[in-house]
Every structure is written in C-alpha cells, then in structure tokens.
Amino acid sequence: DAGVIQSPRHEVTEMGQEVTLRCKPISGHDYLFWYRQTMMRGLELLIYFNNNVPIDDSGMPEDRFSAKMPNASFSTLKIQPSEPRDSAVYFCASSLSLRTGRLFFGSGTQLSVL
Amino acid sequence: DAKTTQPPSMDCAEGRAANLPCNHSTISGNEYVYWYRQIHSQGPQYIIHGLKNNETNEMASLIITEDRKSSTLILPHATLRDTAVYYCIVRVQTSSGSARQLTFGSGTQLTVLP
C-alpha cells in the first residue's frame, strides 16, 4: 500500500481565496483524521471521520473550515475564504480503529496564505 | 493539563543507544503509553506502545517502570535518520474513546550527532 496520500504537497494562495486539501486514506482503514500543525500550537486534531461520517469536528477553528468524506477512499478539507493565520502544515491520517491508537499519517500539505 | 512531561531536547552520538524519558505520574490503570516520532517535514510515525510490560519491536524498546509513572523509549543503535521529535502520549485503548485522547504535546527533539 502506498500509505496515506495527500495533495497538494505545497499550496500558496492569496488571502480570500478558496483552498482545498485532499487526502486518500489507506485502503480498509475506517477512520480518517485531519490535523493542523503550527509552531505556536503544535499538532491539533481538527476533525475525524468513522466510516465516512464526521464524528468530532470540535477542533475545526471556524466556519470557514469544512471537511467532507464522500467515500471511503477520499476526503477534502476546504478553507473558504482563506486567511494568513491559516498558514500551517495540514496532515491527514487514517487508522483501522481507535482502539489500536495507531495512526498512519500522510506527508502533509504546507499551506501558505499571503 | 499535560498528561506527559518530556525534556525539550536531547543529543545522542551515532551508534549509541538513545534513551528518551517520559513522565506520566497521573496515568490511570487503563491508560497505555504510546510513542510517535516526527522526522522533519514528514507526518508523525507510530513507534511502539505498552501498558505495563516492557515492549520491543523492530524500531525500539519501551521500558515502563513498575509504578507506571514513567517510561523510557530506547533506540538501541541510533542513526542520523533517527533525528526527530519524539512524542510520548498516554491514552485509554478503547474503541469508544475519543480520538482527542491521542494528544501530541511538545515532544523531545532528539538530535543524533555524527
């Protein structure tokens, strides 16, 4: 398996633009997670899905952020409109179950909002 | 409140054992100790986890004290590629638990020196 695949690897955009980050989890994994990492706040859990259903989105910072999982092999994290303070590395991770505590992370998307 | 305490940074000579400590004095009886690491510009990577017995896998060994209030991750023969931030996490291993229990703190920056 190729692991968790995220795209794009880098994204540079201007304030006010819409940004869409994409993630393909490991096949067969029932859980998908979106994290954000900044120097100030470290690694934060934004939202996670179980069997394509959002379970906990309490970490989503504002209504400008939304996440979807239309099927078991694809998820998106959208920011609209984007702001400079959204600049961060966004990671997607997947897991077979919460019980194991073993998450497999993608390589992340480095987002810069100018 | 932080559940774990780790030194912010450590150095280790290449080829020597790296011993990374973690204090978790308030750990509950049903909480496991997990270790992840994050190499620069990559997503976190699971290393090992345990409850009370010492554990070993192809990556590392985990030594948990008898009172379970602290643990040590051991990389037996550190290489330059082991330079990374190492995170110690405690969580309940349950399928009904929230993913928010897997909280990444500041971790320990391990630098392996040539």
Side-chain angles (χ1 to χ4, degrees):
Chain A
D1 199 315
V4 176
I5 300 173
Q6 291 187 246
S7 64
R9 189 78 171 89
H10 302 276
E11 176 80 36
V12 180
T13 190
E14 291 186 347
M15 182 175 63
Q17 296 297 307
E18 177 179 296
V19 175
T20 299
L21 311 181
R22 297 172 175 80
C23 175
K24 176 179 168 55
I26 293 173
S27 177
H29 281 192
D30 291 336
Y31 288 84
L32 183 138
F33 309 81
W34 282 101
Y35 284 84
R36 176 174 70 175
Q37 187 171 37
T38 61
M39 288 293 291
M40 290 295 294
R41 301 174 67 90
L43 200 61
E44 304 174 276
L45 176 63
L46 300 178
I47 184 172
Y48 76 95
F49 295 82
N50 176 214
N51 292 324
N52 314 337
V53 176
I55 302 300
D56 182 348
D57 65 355
S58 61
M60 297 286 264
E62 300 172 32
D63 292 343
R64 298 185 296 105
F65 286 69
S66 62
K68 294 182 179 179
M69 192 164 185
N71 56 62
S73 59
F74 184 66
S75 176
T76 60
L77 178 67
K78 185 176 295 186
I79 308 173
Q80 165 65 17
S82 59
E83 296 183 3
R85 58 192 168 123
D86 301 331
S87 297
V89 182
Y90 291 80
F91 289 103
C92 175
S94 70
S95 178
L96 273 174
S97 77
L98 277 184
R99 188 176 188 280
T100 66
R102 294 188 63 172
L103 272 60
F104 295 80
F105 283 78
S107 298
T109 295
Q110 172 75 61
L111 173 65
S112 297
V113 183
L114 306 177
Chain B
D1 291 335
K3 285 192 167 185
T4 64
T5 305
Q6 300 177 255
S9 64
M10 292 181 63
D11 291 341
C12 175
E14 188 178 18
R16 304 299 291 267
N19 298 287
L20 293 101
C22 180
N23 286 323
H24 31 79
S25 58
T26 60
I27 192 170
S28 301
N30 60 349
E31 287 184 312
Y32 285 68
V33 180
Y34 286 77
W35 283 84
Y36 277 75
R37 74 178 182 184
Q38 186 173 19
I39 296 171
H40 182 59
S41 298
Q42 297 182 23
Q45 176 191 26
Y46 165 87
I47 301 174
I48 198 168
H49 76 280
L51 181 63
K52 53 184 178 181
N53 297 321
N54 298 337
E55 303 286 347
T56 296
N57 63 20
E58 66 279 3
M59 290 183 69
S61 295
L62 174 60
I63 309 298
I64 302 174
T65 58
E66 192 168 342
D67 63 8
R68 303 209 323 122
K69 292 185 177 181
S70 65
S71 60
T72 302
L73 179 75
I74 301 172
L75 309 178
H77 304 288
T79 71
L80 298 178
R81 287 175 292 182
D82 292 322
T83 292
V85 177
Y86 287 77
Y87 299 99
C88 172
I89 302 164
V90 297
R91 75 177 288 267
V92 176
Q93 191 178 60
T94 169
S95 57
S96 62
S98 170
R100 298 206 170 277
Q101 292 178 8
L102 204 64
T103 302
F104 294 81
S106 302
T108 296
Q109 170 66 59
L110 174 69
T111 302
V112 180
L113 304 170

